[in-house]
Amino acid sequence: MPERIVILTGSGISAESGISTFRDKGGIWSKYNVNDVATPEGFARYPKLVLDFYNMRRRIHKEVQPNPAHLALARLEREYPGEVLVVTQNVDQLHELAGTKNLIHMHGEVFRAWCMACDARCDWCDDLTPETPCPACKQTGSFRPNVVWFGETPYHMDVIADALAVASLFVSIGTSGTVYPAAGFVALARRSGARTVEINLEVSGGARHFDEFLHGPAGTEVPRFVERILAAR
Ligand code: BV8
């Protein structure tokens, strides 16, 4: 019986594509105060700072390409006979560019924008300023990147919970296991009977819940892991 595989990815899977992680040495949160740039309160107080923070990240994300880890997950989805769901904490589009289709952006996407005044959501590739009007309602001041800030509810939690409840294999790739509820997924999967594997440079916060650790760069370890899964079909 093919497995139902749920894969959680974090910023570590995009590191070898040239995108900074958050909590590694020199990471994003060592350069920016997370409360100023990744909370609704920060946006209310410093809208230009927040929009410029995401403008900077959107510009970087335009220039990068998927690495072998993203490409291996897309291959797994294509070639594996069971269901493969990727749940990413990342707001970049590298899983899509690599070809992954069955994908959930639980923390939103930096190439989407959201108007808090009229709830319109749209693709958005350019810079945003506090003066950028919402294309739908034309209001300014409420138009922001469609990303999930601290204190906001992640997207598709119901779909994710259903997938974790029936997963037979849970793989966590490139995440420190610091941010909830994502960091709690491994315990939920294990409670449902899933085998749990961590692919990361270091031991993460959820170490006690993993059956297996593959420590090394995602660009090397993920293709190797996918080969192993496909060979065992
Ligand atoms: C919420 C915005 C209520 C977009 C981000 C308990 C339960 C529930 C909530 C909480 C709780 N305790 C505290 C909370 C509140 C809070 C939280 O978790 N705080 C933490 C700091 C304690 N959580 C929230 O507010 C969340 N909302 O809880 O709502 C709720 C709860 C349940 C159900 C419904 C409602 C909202 C969290 C989302 C916040 N937004 N980002 C953006 O700007 O990107 S979080 C931010 O951190 C990013 O999204 C990022 O993806 C995420 C996680 O970080 P990582 O991806 O793990 O990155 P990090 O740098 O930490 O680690 C990288 C890892 O990769 C390292 O281990 C490194 O070794 C490894 N690595 C590096 N290079 C490589 C590598 N591995 C392999 N290969 C390499 N080459």
Side-chain angles (χ1 to χ4, degrees):
M1 165 83 167
E3 309 221 61
R4 282 195 175 104
I5 306 175
V6 175
I7 300 165
L8 174 68
T9 65
S11 60
I13 198 170
S14 298
E16 289 158 88
S17 295
I19 297 182
S20 288
T21 60
F22 290 88
R23 297 168 185 85
D24 286 321
K25 192 167 175 323
I28 293 174
W29 296 147
S30 70
K31 298 188 176 88
Y32 292 87
N33 178 333
V34 60
N35 296 313
D36 291 348
V37 297
T39 62
E41 296 77 13
F43 181 61
R45 287 182 65 187
Y46 314 110
K48 184 161 176 16
L49 174 73
V50 172
L51 295 176
D52 282 343
F53 172 65
Y54 285 96
N55 292 340
M56 172 276 292
R57 293 180 59 201
R58 193 180 301 106
R59 282 188 223 123
I60 291 168
H61 290 184
K62 278 181 186 171
E63 304 304 319
V64 296
Q65 292 301 317
N67 66 58
H70 299 102
L71 295 167
L73 294 187
R75 178 188 171 209
L76 182 66
E77 180 183 11
R78 281 196 307 276
E79 297 180 18
Y80 188 70
E83 170 155 358
V84 177
L85 170 65
V86 175
V87 178
T88 188
Q89 300 174 85
N90 302 337
V91 296
D92 63 53
Q93 55 183 358
L94 295 179
H95 284 301
E96 293 91 327
L97 290 175
T100 290
K101 304 268 185 288
N102 196 16
L103 173 66
I104 292 177
H105 276 279
M106 67 178 289
H107 291 163
E109 303 168 63
V110 80
F111 290 106
R112 297 272 295 164
W114 169 40
C115 175
M116 295 190 291
C118 72
D119 204 29
R121 284 173 168 77
C122 58
D123 291 341
W124 196 271
C125 296
D126 303 317
D127 284 2
L128 277 170
T129 74
E131 293 71 43
T132 306
C134 162
C137 73
K138 309 304 176 207
Q139 285 197 58
T140 60
S142 308
F143 197 47
R144 55 174 271 193
N146 189 31
V147 300
V148 177
W149 288 328
F150 287 96
E152 296 185 325
T153 301
Y155 288 122
H156 308 300
M157 286 301 295
D158 50 346
V159 175
I160 296 168
D162 291 347
L164 292 170
V166 298
S168 52
L169 175 61
F170 177 83
V171 188
S172 176
I173 303 172
T175 181
S176 62
T178 308
V179 175
Y180 287 83
F185 290 169
V186 59
L188 293 176
R190 199 170 208 199
R191 204 174 301 151
S192 306
R195 188 159 57 85
T196 56
V197 178
E198 175 165 77
I199 302 175
N200 206 47
L201 271 187
E202 64 182 5
V203 176
S204 74
R208 65 189 180 286
H209 300 297
F210 287 101
D211 299 312
E212 184 180 1
F213 299 89
L214 301 174
H215 282 162
T220 308
E221 294 301 328
V222 176
R224 193 176 290 164
F225 181 72
V226 166
E227 276 295 346
R228 193 177 100 193
I229 295 288
L230 292 176
R233 269 172 297 184

